[in-house]
Amino acid sequence: MTGLEIAVGYVFAWAVRKARRVAGRADEEVDRGLDAGMDRLHELVSSKLGQDPALERAQEEAEAGQEEPSERTRRRLTDSLEDAAERDTGFAKALEALVKELQAATAANDGGVSASGDGQAVGGNVDIHAEGGSAAALKMGDVTIGSAANPPQPGPA
């Protein structure tokens, strides 16, 4: 399943936000849609993983004020989610759907864009133009201009 690392990030972000609220440091204006999505993701993950030590450790690190989980906690929580997703396809589908929903909400909230894998994302207008027998692209592989079967020979014609 793709997106497990992203799910781990959202689970940890939920724990950080929760810890800040408890400490009274949360921002006054919170995006309710994003908050609700993060709550649903946390409920899904915590109901599936239960008292998983990696999930508990992530919550401890967030309460301690860390902005990101330690590499070890991230790895362990990713492994726990991967195992749960492999054993329960319904959980895997629900987790993937929530991650996509949160990515969309985050992009809308930040006004940013996101791409994964070999994708490219551009925020704002893009104008790509080629003229005079040239080629232009945002991303380009092998390119041949003209006839590849009979390439022109150097020298006078």
Side-chain angles (χ1 to χ4, degrees):
M1 176 185 168
T2 59
L4 289 173
E5 294 82 12
I6 297 169
V8 168
Y10 282 124
V11 167
F12 195 79
W14 177 89
V16 167
R17 290 174 87 156
K18 197 67 148 180
R20 285 186 178 163
R21 276 192 207 107
V22 170
R25 297 186 333 236
D27 292 337
E28 292 290 326
E29 209 165 309
V30 178
D31 180 355
R32 285 184 225 165
L34 183 57
D35 231 19
M38 288 176 73
D39 284 344
R40 287 195 312 277
L41 179 70
H42 180 264
E43 289 169 17
L44 176 70
V45 169
S46 63
S47 68
K48 188 66 179 175
L49 297 185
Q51 299 297 312
D52 185 283
L55 183 58
E56 289 180 354
R57 182 66 183 152
Q59 290 172 334
E60 290 170 7
E61 289 178 6
E63 289 169 5
Q66 290 181 222
E67 292 293 323
E68 296 284 329
S70 66
E71 183 57 36
R72 184 176 185 196
T73 298
R74 180 182 301 277
R75 223 176 26 251
R76 286 179 162 184
L77 191 50
T78 300
D79 288 344
S80 293
L81 285 174
E82 186 174 38
D83 184 58
E86 287 172 357
R87 295 172 184 259
D88 183 347
T89 57
F91 170 74
K93 288 178 184 176
L95 183 62
E96 189 170 1
L98 276 172
V99 166
K100 286 180 181 178
E101 180 184 320
L102 283 167
Q103 285 180 305
T106 301
N109 192 41
D110 293 341
V113 295
S114 145
S116 62
D118 199 26
Q120 303 237 351
V122 177
N125 298 331
V126 174
D127 184 18
I128 299 174
H129 183 77
E131 60 183 58
S134 61
L138 182 60
K139 182 173 182 180
M140 188 180 303
D142 295 333
V143 176
T144 301
I145 299 176
S147 173
N150 298 314
Q153 299 299 315

